[in-house]
Amino acid sequence: MASLPVISSSVGSASSGPSIRDAIASYRRSQYFVAGSQATAASDLETFSDDEGDDIYSRAGDEEANRPEPADHNHDDSDQLDLEAEEGNLDCTSTGFQLPNTSQVKDLLASGNTTCPQETTPLLRQEISPTSSHPCRLSTSSLVDSGTSETPATVDFLQPPSSFPRRLSTTSTKSVRYNYGGQSTFGQTLFNSIAILLGIGMLSEPLAFAYSGWVTGTVLIFGYGFVSCYTAKILAHIILADPCMRSYADIGRKAFGQSFMPLISMLFCLELFSVSVVLVTLYADSLHTLIPSYSTTTFKLWGLLLLIPTIFLPLSLLSYTSILGILSSIFIIFVVLIDGFCKSETPGSLWRPAETNFGVQNSQNLGLAFGLFMAGFSGHAVIPSLARDMKDPSQFDRMINWAFFVATMLYGLIGYAGYRMFGNNVSEEISIDLMKTPDYSLVLNRFALWMLVISPLSKFALTTHPLNATIDILLGIDVPFLVPEDIATKSNGLTTAPQGSHVISKKLSAITQRVIMTILSVTVSILVPDFGAMMALLGSFAAFALCLIGPLSAKVALTGHFSVIDAILLAVGAIMAIWGMVAAASAAT
């Protein structure tokens, strides 16, 4: 088994400062991707004017010119992308995609035909959509020897090979330097992936075990972790095989055509709106546990005074505050374990477990467990952008294996501990039980809950940013979008105002729309206060669609075939999604 990379640094060394700054910058880019890759799903419904498109091409060309050249030029063309079957290297055989090789580039350049003939909806067209704002310019200097005197040509599009690829040989992976313009190292991308996967879904893991029992819950959580890791690799292999694609929305458009973009936008919008409702519920429930003299509804209404100003903050600031989310998630795990080991009597003790079940008690609870477990792995909307941001994308498979392994272990840890401590009477949020149980450290638990109060408030604006931007596009009050990588270099948010547009009227309309959506999120949270039901609905609908059904369907659409395993996963996933949605809707009403 591959081992985690060893990171060595000297305390107080000259290199420690830049390394820390690079890590922070990488994390901030991942938060921009959370906003940008989802917001651009709907932006394909609109097109830029010719002048705006020319400006984007000019900027993208400048960025391409400034990209660093490959580090190793001491090998010839035939050795650079030598495709041989070897163990321990990037394995794309499971997904049917590979990186373009040297002969394909030369054939394309010689023929002069740079359009993909099998593409349902061309990524490059006369009117440029925001998600394809980067012209697909892959410098052949990244694929052929840059030491030649010829000027590197520019390829507008490279068609992914239709045949199953072979693994890169050990010699090849040591010599090749993929030049995709990524900026994050293996370790930085690993941290970003774990930070995205570890969300508020972990608070309901003990409840999911209470619904499913020990045996079924164990099968579900590890099964979902394995399958989600597999589909994440599918998305990464698809996007790395085509330099034209930048985000999840691009994959959907290439696989299913432009006509499916409204459906993808709807899925993103519903997912983001559900998350915003869950964040409001978590904030109010945690605050009510700390200050029980006021109801959760009162806290939700008061929360409007805090939430509305945050939705107008720039992403450059929100990307910093979002780190509270990962800190609170890690801290709550430690608090649960400390409380469980410090208490000797049930309830709330790891030494004397509460009453639990080995199996499922009824079908509705099983459906809720489907959604609750799957909700913890709903980070696939950002996976393609993270893969594109890697300096060496060939290491993505190994990185994502570790990311899902760590996330699954942490989810399982808090799920097992919480269910053993509180049994079938566990609350919808494990954090609530920490304050209701006597003999716990009051200071430690209060601090953990205050973090769960602050964290949703800080993440609400970042979550609703792409939702609001998508609605702006649908209402026609938007300004042009950049791709997620361009967003990461901006300091003033997602958009840049074009010349000649009615900026003032659009901004006033956008402000009104954002306030209305915030009020609507709070209203739905008041009408549906059940945290567990909302998380189950989020997992059953959005997580299954974006993390399982979407990637597998895209693979089938692009390759024209699928394995028996893929067919089984699609069928079982669809059944679980429908089952979970019915159970969650029934529990919420």
Side-chain angles (χ1 to χ4, degrees):
M1 177 181 289
S3 60
L4 281 172
V6 178
I7 302 175
S8 60
S9 61
S10 300
V11 178
S13 64
S15 62
S16 62
S19 299
I20 295 176
R21 287 196 297 269
D22 290 343
I24 295 175
S26 176
Y27 175 78
R28 293 184 65 201
R29 282 197 304 275
S30 72
Q31 298 307 304
Y32 283 120
F33 295 153
V34 172
S37 61
Q38 300 181 42
T40 52
S43 62
D44 285 318
L45 303 177
E46 302 289 337
T47 56
F48 286 144
S49 65
D50 293 337
D51 293 339
E52 294 159 3
D54 294 339
D55 179 62
I56 291 173
Y57 269 83
S58 176
R59 285 199 309 272
D62 294 338
E63 292 175 1
E64 184 69 28
N66 293 329
R67 286 183 181 176
E69 294 298 326
D72 190 353
H73 309 299
N74 297 325
H75 50 278
D76 56 27
D77 298 349
S78 60
D79 292 336
Q80 186 170 4
L81 288 177
D82 179 26
L83 299 178
E84 297 175 356
E86 295 286 348
E87 284 294 332
N89 299 290
L90 178 62
D91 183 8
C92 301
T93 57
S94 60
T95 58
F97 298 95
Q98 70 175 10
L99 299 173
N101 57 38
T102 306
S103 60
Q104 290 176 297
V105 177
K106 292 182 176 179
D107 292 342
L108 279 170
L109 295 177
S111 64
N113 180 16
T114 58
T115 303
C116 177
Q118 298 178 359
E119 187 177 8
T120 307
T121 303
L123 285 172
L124 294 180
R125 54 183 183 269
Q126 184 67 26
E127 293 182 332
I128 304 160
S129 72
T131 52
S132 59
S133 59
H134 270 295
C136 303
R137 298 178 177 177
L138 179 64
S139 174
T140 55
S141 62
S142 63
L143 298 174
V144 296
D145 191 353
S146 61
T148 61
S149 59
E150 298 179 359
T151 302
T154 297
V155 180
D156 289 329
F157 184 81
L158 294 178
Q159 176 187 354
S162 57
S163 61
F164 280 97
R166 291 173 293 168
R167 297 178 180 176
L168 294 173
S169 67
T170 305
T171 305
S172 301
T173 55
K174 289 182 179 179
S175 60
V176 174
R177 297 294 184 270
Y178 299 105
N179 186 15
Y180 282 97
Q183 303 179 55
S184 295
T185 64
F186 180 99
Q188 291 168 354
T189 310
L190 176 63
F191 174 80
N192 294 336
S193 301
I194 295 174
I196 289 171
L197 290 173
L198 293 182
I200 57 177
M202 71 161 46
L203 297 176
S204 57
E205 294 299 310
L207 180 65
F209 275 99
Y211 285 150
S212 59
W214 287 112
V215 177
T216 309
T218 301
V219 172
L220 288 177
I221 192 170
F222 286 100
Y224 286 167
F226 178 82
V227 172
S228 298
C229 182
Y230 168 67
T231 55
K233 294 177 184 178
I234 291 178
L235 294 176
H237 294 164
I238 292 176
I239 203 167
L240 292 177
D242 186 348
C244 291
M245 293 188 291
R246 317 296 296 181
S247 65
Y248 193 107
D250 286 336
I251 295 176
R253 177 157 49 86
K254 181 175 177 61
F256 308 113
Q258 188 71 21
S259 59
F260 275 79
M261 292 310 298
L263 176 61
I264 296 176
S265 299
M266 183 188 69
L267 288 175
F268 279 137
C269 288
L270 289 176
E271 180 196 24
L272 293 171
F273 182 76
S274 300
V275 172
S276 68
V277 173
V278 170
L279 289 174
V280 174
T281 303
L282 176 60
Y283 142 78
D285 288 351
S286 301
L287 198 54
H288 173 69
T289 305
L290 291 167
I291 310 175
S293 56
Y294 296 96
S295 66
T296 56
T297 301
T298 301
F299 286 124
K300 291 174 183 178
L301 294 176
W302 286 356
L304 285 173
L305 301 177
L306 300 174
L307 294 175
I308 290 179
T310 63
I311 61 178
F312 301 109
L313 295 176
L315 284 177
S316 58
L317 178 60
L318 296 177
S319 62
Y320 283 117
T321 60
S322 63
I323 199 172
L324 291 173
I326 182 64
L327 292 178
S328 62
S329 299
I330 298 298
F331 188 71
I332 198 69
I333 295 177
F334 282 106
V335 172
V336 169
L337 294 177
I338 292 173
D339 287 343
F341 282 117
C342 290
K343 198 170 187 295
S344 57
E345 299 294 334
T346 190
S349 173
L350 286 171
W351 304 108
R352 292 193 177 183
E355 181 181 355
T356 58
N357 297 316
F358 280 97
V360 182
Q361 299 302 303
N362 58 70
S363 59
Q364 181 178 6
N365 286 352
L366 180 59
L368 292 172
F370 289 157
L372 290 174
F373 280 125
M374 194 63 187
F377 300 101
S378 58
H380 283 50
V382 196
I383 292 296
S385 296
L386 290 177
R388 184 67 80 192
D389 190 52
M390 287 192 73
K391 288 182 178 179
D392 185 1
S394 65
Q395 298 187 34
F396 179 86
D397 280 16
R398 186 164 65 95
M399 181 279 301
I400 206 66
N401 283 340
W402 280 108
F404 274 92
F405 174 79
V406 172
T408 304
M409 291 297 105
L410 291 179
Y411 280 141
L413 179 61
I414 192 172
Y416 285 149
Y419 187 40
R420 181 179 175 85
M421 290 164 62
F422 301 103
N424 297 323
N425 295 321
V426 66
S427 300
E428 295 176 344
E429 305 147 54
I430 184 65
S431 55
I432 295 179
D433 290 320
L434 300 181
M435 289 300 298
K436 295 192 307 183
T437 306
D439 300 330
Y440 281 162
S441 172
L442 188 61
V443 175
L444 186 65
N445 290 352
R446 279 186 173 275
F447 182 75
L449 258 70
W450 274 113
M451 290 191 68
L452 292 178
V453 171
I454 299 174
S455 176
L457 294 177
S458 64
K459 295 182 67 173
F460 182 88
L462 186 66
T463 301
T464 57
H465 207 304
L467 174 63
N468 291 326
T470 302
I471 296 175
D472 286 346
I473 294 173
L474 298 177
L475 296 179
I477 57 176
D478 66 298
V479 286
F481 277 87
L482 302 176
V483 295
E485 287 78 3
D486 287 337
I487 294 169
T489 65
K490 300 294 180 182
S491 60
N492 59 343
L494 281 175
T495 60
T496 56
Q499 295 181 355
S501 62
H502 302 288
V503 177
I504 297 178
S505 60
K506 287 185 176 182
K507 284 187 175 182
L508 291 176
S509 301
I511 290 173
T512 304
Q513 180 269 129
R514 281 157 172 74
V515 173
I516 292 175
M517 288 305 301
T518 303
I519 296 175
L520 186 60
S521 298
V522 174
T523 302
V524 174
S525 179
I526 293 174
L527 296 177
V528 187
D530 194 327
F531 180 86
M534 283 301 302
M535 286 299 301
L537 183 61
L538 176 63
S540 299
F541 177 73
F544 270 106
L546 297 175
C547 303
L548 180 62
I549 298 175
L552 291 174
S553 300
K555 176 187 174 182
V556 173
L558 291 174
T559 62
H561 60 272
F562 56 91
S563 64
V564 177
I565 298 297
D566 292 338
I568 294 175
L569 290 177
L570 274 172
V572 174
I575 293 174
M576 287 183 172
I578 296 174
W579 192 341
M581 283 190 290
V582 173
S586 176
T589 55

